[in-house]
Amino acid sequence: MSADRPRILWVRDVAMIIAVLAFACMLGAMWLNHVAGPSGPSRKSSCLSNQRQVSMAVLTHVTTRGKGSFPGFRKELNGDTISWTASLLSELGRGDLHDHLVRQGEVAPLPISILVCPADRDKSSSEAPLSYVINAGSAQDDGTVLANGVAVDGLKTEERVSLSYVAQNDGTAYTLLLAENLQATRWDQPSRIGTTFLWHNTMTPREEHLINGGDTSLPVTLDTARPSSNHPGGAVFTFCDGHTKFIGQDIEYRVYAQLMSPNDRASDMPDAWKDQPLGEDDFLR
């Protein structure tokens, strides 16, 4: 009995050590999960959900206060210039901020959770973070060409792109409305380069014109107003009919421009592109 006792104690001690190590590993995993946040697929799913909610706010605005038309990427309100996101505060569930805007003539810079993709962690320190941007057409026009994009410059034209215009031309299911951009600035500040995404009228686009193209340390310019995300291989987009999908960054640039234009034939894109009908397989693969 005495000879077996040390062996029993040794086995018990080893078992205790294993149990302590297992518990420590479990605590470490829980800590890492807390620091790292949700997994990549979970963040992507949450991003899809958030962007879908923003698109529903846009479409609600279109059918109510927008009188059938999409908001401009900026517009005048009571003598002040506001962004497209600020014009949607009521539809985004922040009627209190909309009331403050109307009364005070300024936007209260507060975070609105659905305006931020969970994978876009660089926005955590911003007062009014924004991950989602609206389709403002070609970088080469002055923001007034309806055929080039969905959101025009409301300070330069009283015309707006209507839902029926999109439906009767290239179709709401084939025209982009929203995208991600890691370099989007703030939802409370009206800025074409900070709150929209653009396409370029060129058959030889530069790297920073492409989805996820160029380094995010580049200055925020017309060139970097392109879709970008922390999701590997592409970014989340929403179409004018409200459906949301992930589009790969290897999409042909012609197809990207065609998806942005609500009326290819009347747009400023190269004539060679206008003669190539857009097929579902071009962006669904």
Side-chain angles (χ1 to χ4, degrees):
M1 293 293 293
S2 58
D4 290 338
R5 185 172 179 79
R7 184 181 299 114
I8 293 172
L9 292 174
W10 178 80
V11 171
R12 185 184 65 185
D13 291 344
V14 170
M16 184 175 295
I17 291 172
I18 293 174
V20 170
L21 289 175
F23 183 67
C25 288
M26 181 182 69
L27 288 178
M30 291 172 64
W31 180 82
L32 286 173
N33 186 60
H34 172 73
V35 172
S39 65
S42 177
R43 289 194 297 268
K44 183 176 171 183
S45 176
S46 296
C47 187
L48 281 161
S49 176
N50 284 2
Q51 194 177 132
R52 185 178 295 112
Q53 290 183 69
V54 178
S55 72
M56 289 301 101
V58 175
L59 294 173
T60 298
H61 178 88
V62 168
T63 57
T64 54
R65 294 187 296 125
K67 299 178 181 179
S69 297
F70 293 96
F73 67 80
R74 63 177 179 173
K75 74 171 188 177
E76 185 272 335
L77 178 67
N78 299 333
D80 296 305
T81 302
I82 65 171
S83 65
W84 68 273
T85 39
S87 68
L88 298 176
L89 285 171
S90 293
E91 290 83 2
L92 290 169
R94 293 307 306 263
D96 57 330
L97 296 183
H98 177 266
D99 292 343
H100 181 273
L101 171 63
V102 173
R103 290 195 312 270
Q104 305 294 329
E106 61 182 8
V107 180
L110 296 172
I112 300 176
S113 59
I114 63 172
L115 291 178
V116 183
C117 173
D120 192 357
R121 295 181 184 171
D122 291 340
K123 304 290 169 61
S124 60
S125 60
S126 174
E127 287 183 312
L130 178 67
S131 297
Y132 305 123
V133 287
I134 199 166
N135 172 6
S138 170
Q140 280 77 39
D141 71 28
D142 63 353
T144 65
V145 182
L146 304 189
N148 283 344
V150 170
V152 297
D153 188 343
L155 297 186
K156 294 182 178 180
T157 178
E158 294 183 358
E159 288 189 284
R160 296 289 186 272
V161 177
S162 69
L163 192 62
S164 62
Y165 176 83
V166 178
Q168 291 167 12
N169 287 286
D170 290 355
T172 57
Y174 296 90
T175 304
L176 293 174
L177 174 60
L178 302 175
E180 299 178 80
N181 186 357
L182 293 173
Q183 291 183 266
T185 51
R186 298 167 59 115
W187 68 259
D188 63 329
Q189 295 181 353
S191 165
R192 190 181 193 190
I193 61 176
T195 65
T196 79
F197 66 112
L198 306 167
W199 60 275
H200 291 259
N201 184 13
T202 174
M203 299 182 73
T204 55
R206 301 210 302 265
E207 181 183 358
E208 58 266 32
H209 298 163
L210 309 176
I211 299 173
N212 286 341
D215 196 288
T216 54
S217 64
L218 291 170
V220 179
T221 65
L222 291 175
D223 287 323
T224 56
R226 80 305 189 201
S228 62
S229 80
N230 281 326
H231 309 302
V236 174
F237 291 80
T238 305
F239 289 75
C240 287
D241 66 346
H243 87 271
T244 305
K245 74 174 275 73
F246 185 82
I247 295 180
Q249 63 196 36
D250 59 348
I251 185 175
E252 185 181 347
Y253 198 72
R254 166 190 66 85
V255 176
Y256 170 70
Q258 286 179 309
L259 287 174
M260 289 195 67
S261 166
N263 185 356
D264 292 354
R265 297 301 302 173
S267 74
D268 292 335
M269 69 177 60
D271 289 337
W273 291 354
K274 298 177 183 180
D275 294 329
Q276 299 183 55
L278 181 65
E280 289 188 359
D281 289 344
D282 290 334
F283 64 96
L284 292 182
R285 60 175 179 271

